[in-house]
Amino acid sequence: MESCGTVVSSMLAVFLVLHLGLIPIMAQQNELQIGVTGQAVILNCTGIPHDKQVTWKYDKVLIRSFTTMHLKGKATMTDRSEISPNSKHLKVLDLRLSDAGIYTCEYDSHTVSISLHVFKLTISLSGHFLPNEVPELTLTQNSSHPLRDLNITLFNSNNNIVRPKHLENKTRQKYILKLKQLEATDSGTWTCHVHSDSPLINHNISFDVKVLGFRNPDLERRYATVDSTVILSWCLNFQNINWKEGFTGQLNWKQQESATAHELLDFNITARGEKHETKKSSRFRFEIPESKPESTIEVKLPKVHFNHSGQYQCQLAYNKRYAHSTIELVVMKVSANPVGPLPRGAKMTLICQVSSPLPSNAHLLWERVNGTHMDIKKSKQHEVKVEVNISAAGLWNCHLIEDNDRKISLSYPVEEAPVWISYVVTGASIGGSVLVFGLACLCIISGISWQRRRQRAKRMARARQHLLENKTCQCQHRLNK
């Protein structure tokens, strides 16, 4: 019996020792929490009765003690931290990478340990870009534990996965990712998802990408007819993306790609989003409409001329970086040769012309209203002019067609000349012919008469010369006698 009691006592002693040994071991198990620099993190002190006083420490250095005295310690985050009166949780503000480590919450004889893993995400140019620029992301991690490999997935503002180029990473502390060229539509809140199996990490880090630019495409083609009114506008996106930076810009025009650019107006946008425009050129008449959105640059051509065609380029300038959007204005006109009513039996050439070559999916087309398929003339690819020969009066239309869609049209009415005009024209033609014949005959007669007078003058000159020679000979003969 004594041996049995001894065995039982020994087993109880061993169990007690093991139990007492497990208490500090369990107390040392750390709960993992994730924080991001610049943000706030709340460290949970779980299982605390509301009436208990707690003390928070960082690597055994006092942060704060929630007592009647509300003691403050000497840890680096002391002035950026506070303890919640109800939950006793510790809130650390404006988190820094160096704040990573072991935090302990102590009350009575109990200790709760928390391992804070801190991430820092930075983006080049502070997240402010112009179109076609390539941003770089840098993700840095810090922890009290050995750093593990991270799997990083990026989502753009439309929640689509973006596959960046991972630059060389020699350590696990820093990851550098290079994105694709940005467009204005990429503006918005992006997400960086960080994953690790050991320790288990599944955390999303949000960051803003702002791309200052135009809602217009890079090159927009506009068509207009002579004497029409055209408004050219460029929509900026600075209000939609809350761009709180000042920038400038200007609107230039040149008739051809290789021609000299002329500044039409300049503008500047303040950090408060206020726009100021100044007209710079009087090369041709244009207006700046007043009733337009603040985010729009706009010019109005009240009466388009053929030489108003060309490239209108709106350019932005921010921190010595530039972005632009171009509108190409193509102008169409129609004319006739000869001009005026068409006499009966006569012919006329109708000419339809544009100011610059058309793209391969566009062409010009003459057609006669209420005419047949024979009264249609289509331009060839990239031609700027199409002509049609007509011999009868009627209404003709010239269309500019792009992808089977009529962009603009111009009409040219051909009127038939009255009968008396035909007689006048016929008489004028006959009279002109007679006049030309008469002038030709007169010229011939005058030429013959002039030729005869010339020959007569030559004969008289020879006769005078002969008489003079005879007189000289006679005088010499008398002197010799």
Side-chain angles (χ1 to χ4, degrees), residues 41-68:
V41 65
I42 297 178
L43 305 179
N44 301 321
C45 190
T46 57
I48 306 175
H50 292 290
D51 57 344
K52 295 297 183 180
Q53 307 299 321
V54 298
T55 299
W56 279 94
K57 294 181 180 179
Y58 170 72
D59 288 344
K60 299 182 180 181
V61 179
L62 178 65
I63 303 174
R64 285 182 178 273
S65 178
F66 190 80
T67 65
T68 55

Side-chain angles (χ1 to χ4, degrees), residues 152 180 190 194 225 281 289 330 387 435 444 467 470:
I152 301 172
K180 65 178 182 65
W190 291 44
V194 183
T225 57
S281 173
V330 180
E387 299 180 354
L435 180 61
I444 294 172
L467 290 174
N470 288 337

Side-chain angles (χ1 to χ4, degrees), residues 270-340:
T270 67
R272 298 174 58 184
E274 298 171 345
K275 181 179 64 178
H276 305 281
E277 296 172 301
T278 305
K279 197 171 182 179
K280 303 292 290 186
S281 173
S282 59
R283 186 172 182 85
F284 53 79
R285 186 187 169 200
F286 70 94
E287 303 171 3
I288 303 176
E290 295 182 1
S291 57
K292 63 180 184 296
E294 278 295 319
S295 59
T296 300
I297 303 299
E298 201 167 82
V299 292
K300 177 181 179 181
L301 306 177
K303 192 173 183 180
V304 175
H305 294 171
F306 196 69
N307 58 2
H308 287 173
S309 63
Q311 296 184 355
Y312 294 77
Q313 184 183 85
C314 189
Q315 178 177 274
L316 302 180
Y318 171 71
N319 284 348
K320 297 182 180 180
R321 292 142 52 199
Y322 303 93
H324 64 267
S325 176
T326 303
I327 296 178
E328 182 182 4
L329 180 63
V330 180
V331 181
M332 184 174 75
K333 67 177 181 179
V334 294
S335 58
N337 183 27
V339 178

Side-chain angles (χ1 to χ4, degrees), residues 223-242:
Y223 298 114
T225 57
V226 169
D227 295 333
S228 65
T229 298
V230 172
I231 295 178
L232 305 176
S233 60
W234 291 260
C235 297
L236 309 178
N237 68 343
F238 67 92
Q239 289 184 333
N240 299 68
I241 62 176
N242 296 321

